[in-house]
Short mmCIF file of all heavy atoms in Angstrom, two decimals:
data_model
loop_
_atom_site.label_atom_id
_atom_site.label_comp_id
_atom_site.label_asym_id
_atom_site.label_seq_id
_atom_site.Cartn_x
_atom_site.Cartn_y
_atom_site.Cartn_z
N LEU A 248 27.09 10.64 -34.14
CA LEU A 248 26.78 10.60 -32.71
C LEU A 248 26.34 9.21 -32.26
O LEU A 248 26.10 8.99 -31.07
CB LEU A 248 25.68 11.62 -32.38
CG LEU A 248 26.07 13.08 -32.54
CD1 LEU A 248 24.84 13.97 -32.45
CD2 LEU A 248 27.09 13.49 -31.50
N GLY A 249 26.19 8.28 -33.19
CA GLY A 249 25.81 6.92 -32.84
C GLY A 249 24.35 6.73 -32.53
O GLY A 249 23.97 5.81 -31.80
N VAL A 250 23.48 7.61 -33.08
CA VAL A 250 22.05 7.52 -32.76
C VAL A 250 21.20 7.50 -34.04
O VAL A 250 20.07 7.98 -34.05
CB VAL A 250 21.61 8.68 -31.84
CG1 VAL A 250 22.22 8.55 -30.47
CG2 VAL A 250 21.96 10.04 -32.47
N THR A 251 21.74 6.92 -35.09
CA THR A 251 21.04 6.93 -36.38
C THR A 251 19.66 6.29 -36.29
O THR A 251 18.66 6.87 -36.75
CB THR A 251 21.86 6.19 -37.45
OG1 THR A 251 23.16 6.76 -37.51
CG2 THR A 251 21.20 6.30 -38.81
N GLU A 252 19.57 5.12 -35.71
CA GLU A 252 18.29 4.42 -35.66
C GLU A 252 17.29 5.13 -34.77
O GLU A 252 16.10 5.16 -35.07
CB GLU A 252 18.49 2.97 -35.19
CG GLU A 252 19.25 2.11 -36.19
CD GLU A 252 18.66 2.18 -37.59
OE1 GLU A 252 17.43 2.04 -37.72
OE2 GLU A 252 19.42 2.41 -38.55
N GLN A 253 17.77 5.72 -33.66
CA GLN A 253 16.87 6.47 -32.79
C GLN A 253 16.29 7.67 -33.51
O GLN A 253 15.10 7.98 -33.38
CB GLN A 253 17.59 6.91 -31.51
CG GLN A 253 17.98 5.77 -30.59
CD GLN A 253 19.39 5.28 -30.85
OE1 GLN A 253 19.84 5.23 -32.00
NE2 GLN A 253 20.10 4.92 -29.79
N VAL A 254 17.13 8.36 -34.29
CA VAL A 254 16.65 9.52 -35.04
C VAL A 254 15.70 9.08 -36.15
O VAL A 254 14.65 9.68 -36.37
CB VAL A 254 17.84 10.32 -35.63
CG1 VAL A 254 17.35 11.37 -36.63
CG2 VAL A 254 18.63 10.99 -34.51
N ARG A 255 16.06 8.02 -36.85
CA ARG A 255 15.20 7.53 -37.93
C ARG A 255 13.82 7.16 -37.39
O ARG A 255 12.80 7.35 -38.07
CB ARG A 255 15.85 6.31 -38.59
CG ARG A 255 15.25 5.97 -39.96
CD ARG A 255 15.82 4.66 -40.49
NE ARG A 255 17.27 4.67 -40.56
CZ ARG A 255 17.96 5.19 -41.57
NH1 ARG A 255 17.33 5.74 -42.58
NH2 ARG A 255 19.29 5.16 -41.56
N ALA A 256 13.76 6.64 -36.17
CA ALA A 256 12.48 6.22 -35.59
C ALA A 256 11.56 7.38 -35.25
O ALA A 256 10.36 7.17 -35.03
CB ALA A 256 12.75 5.39 -34.32
N THR A 257 12.09 8.59 -35.22
CA THR A 257 11.23 9.74 -34.90
C THR A 257 10.38 10.18 -36.08
O THR A 257 9.40 10.89 -35.89
CB THR A 257 12.08 10.95 -34.45
OG1 THR A 257 12.89 11.41 -35.55
CG2 THR A 257 12.97 10.60 -33.27
N ARG A 258 10.74 9.77 -37.30
CA ARG A 258 10.03 10.25 -38.49
C ARG A 258 8.64 9.62 -38.57
O ARG A 258 8.51 8.40 -38.56
CB ARG A 258 10.82 9.93 -39.76
CG ARG A 258 10.10 10.34 -41.03
CD ARG A 258 11.00 10.35 -42.26
NE ARG A 258 11.82 9.18 -42.39
CZ ARG A 258 12.78 9.03 -43.31
NH1 ARG A 258 13.03 10.02 -44.16
NH2 ARG A 258 13.47 7.92 -43.38
N PRO A 259 7.60 10.44 -38.64
CA PRO A 259 6.25 9.87 -38.76
C PRO A 259 6.03 9.26 -40.13
O PRO A 259 6.70 9.62 -41.11
CB PRO A 259 5.34 11.10 -38.55
CG PRO A 259 6.18 12.26 -38.98
CD PRO A 259 7.59 11.91 -38.60
N ALA A 260 5.10 8.34 -40.21
CA ALA A 260 4.78 7.70 -41.49
C ALA A 260 4.05 8.68 -42.39
O ALA A 260 3.19 9.44 -41.93
CB ALA A 260 3.93 6.46 -41.25
N PRO A 261 4.37 8.71 -43.69
CA PRO A 261 3.67 9.61 -44.61
C PRO A 261 2.23 9.17 -44.80
O PRO A 261 1.88 8.01 -44.55
CB PRO A 261 4.48 9.48 -45.90
CG PRO A 261 5.12 8.13 -45.81
CD PRO A 261 5.41 7.91 -44.36
N PRO A 262 1.38 10.07 -45.27
CA PRO A 262 -0.04 9.71 -45.47
C PRO A 262 -0.18 8.64 -46.55
O PRO A 262 0.59 8.60 -47.51
CB PRO A 262 -0.69 11.03 -45.90
CG PRO A 262 0.44 11.85 -46.44
CD PRO A 262 1.65 11.47 -45.64
N GLN A 263 -1.16 7.78 -46.37
CA GLN A 263 -1.39 6.68 -47.31
C GLN A 263 -2.29 7.08 -48.47
O GLN A 263 -2.48 6.31 -49.40
CB GLN A 263 -2.01 5.50 -46.57
CG GLN A 263 -1.13 4.94 -45.46
CD GLN A 263 0.21 4.45 -45.99
OE1 GLN A 263 0.27 3.69 -46.96
NE2 GLN A 263 1.30 4.88 -45.36
N THR A 264 -2.85 8.30 -48.40
CA THR A 264 -3.73 8.76 -49.47
C THR A 264 -3.07 9.92 -50.20
O THR A 264 -2.08 10.48 -49.74
CB THR A 264 -5.08 9.24 -48.89
OG1 THR A 264 -4.85 10.43 -48.11
CG2 THR A 264 -5.69 8.17 -48.00
N GLY A 265 -3.64 10.31 -51.33
CA GLY A 265 -3.12 11.43 -52.09
C GLY A 265 -3.73 12.75 -51.69
O GLY A 265 -3.58 13.74 -52.41
N ASN A 266 -4.43 12.77 -50.55
CA ASN A 266 -5.07 14.00 -50.10
C ASN A 266 -4.04 15.09 -49.87
O ASN A 266 -3.10 14.91 -49.10
CB ASN A 266 -5.86 13.72 -48.82
CG ASN A 266 -6.58 14.95 -48.31
OD1 ASN A 266 -5.99 15.76 -47.62
ND2 ASN A 266 -7.86 15.07 -48.66
N ALA A 267 -4.22 16.25 -50.54
CA ALA A 267 -3.23 17.33 -50.45
C ALA A 267 -3.16 17.91 -49.05
O ALA A 267 -2.07 18.27 -48.57
CB ALA A 267 -3.58 18.43 -51.45
N ASP A 268 -4.29 18.02 -48.36
CA ASP A 268 -4.28 18.58 -47.01
C ASP A 268 -3.51 17.67 -46.05
O ASP A 268 -2.79 18.15 -45.17
CB ASP A 268 -5.71 18.79 -46.51
CG ASP A 268 -6.46 19.84 -47.33
OD1 ASP A 268 -5.85 20.88 -47.62
OD2 ASP A 268 -7.63 19.61 -47.67
N ALA A 269 -3.68 16.36 -46.21
CA ALA A 269 -2.95 15.42 -45.36
C ALA A 269 -1.45 15.49 -45.64
O ALA A 269 -0.63 15.47 -44.72
CB ALA A 269 -3.47 14.00 -45.58
N LEU A 270 -1.09 15.60 -46.93
CA LEU A 270 0.33 15.71 -47.28
C LEU A 270 0.92 17.00 -46.73
O LEU A 270 2.05 17.00 -46.24
CB LEU A 270 0.50 15.64 -48.79
CG LEU A 270 1.95 15.73 -49.31
CD1 LEU A 270 2.81 14.61 -48.71
CD2 LEU A 270 1.99 15.68 -50.83
N ALA A 271 0.17 18.07 -46.80
CA ALA A 271 0.65 19.35 -46.26
C ALA A 271 0.89 19.24 -44.76
O ALA A 271 1.88 19.76 -44.24
CB ALA A 271 -0.36 20.45 -46.55
N ALA A 272 0.00 18.54 -44.06
CA ALA A 272 0.18 18.36 -42.62
C ALA A 272 1.43 17.54 -42.32
O ALA A 272 2.19 17.84 -41.39
CB ALA A 272 -1.05 17.66 -42.03
N TYR A 273 1.66 16.52 -43.13
CA TYR A 273 2.86 15.69 -42.95
C TYR A 273 4.13 16.49 -43.20
O TYR A 273 5.09 16.40 -42.43
CB TYR A 273 2.79 14.49 -43.90
CG TYR A 273 4.06 13.68 -43.94
CD1 TYR A 273 4.38 12.82 -42.89
CD2 TYR A 273 4.95 13.78 -45.00
CE1 TYR A 273 5.55 12.07 -42.91
CE2 TYR A 273 6.12 13.04 -45.03
CZ TYR A 273 6.42 12.19 -43.98
OH TYR A 273 7.58 11.47 -43.99
N VAL A 274 4.13 17.28 -44.27
CA VAL A 274 5.32 18.08 -44.60
C VAL A 274 5.62 19.06 -43.48
O VAL A 274 6.77 19.21 -43.05
CB VAL A 274 5.12 18.83 -45.93
CG1 VAL A 274 6.23 19.84 -46.16
CG2 VAL A 274 5.06 17.84 -47.09
N GLN A 275 4.60 19.72 -42.97
CA GLN A 275 4.80 20.68 -41.89
C GLN A 275 5.34 19.99 -40.64
O GLN A 275 6.24 20.51 -39.97
CB GLN A 275 3.49 21.39 -41.58
CG GLN A 275 3.64 22.52 -40.56
CD GLN A 275 2.36 23.31 -40.37
OE1 GLN A 275 1.31 22.93 -40.88
NE2 GLN A 275 2.44 24.41 -39.65
N ALA A 276 4.81 18.82 -40.33
CA ALA A 276 5.29 18.07 -39.17
C ALA A 276 6.74 17.65 -39.35
O ALA A 276 7.54 17.72 -38.41
CB ALA A 276 4.40 16.85 -38.92
#
Side-chain angles (χ1 to χ4, degrees):
L248 293 169
V250 292
T251 306
E252 292 308 312
Q253 292 93 323
V254 169
R255 197 187 304 277
T257 66
R258 177 165 47 187
Q263 299 300 310
T264 68
N266 181 276
D268 295 317
L270 181 57
Y273 172 76
V274 170
Q275 186 174 9

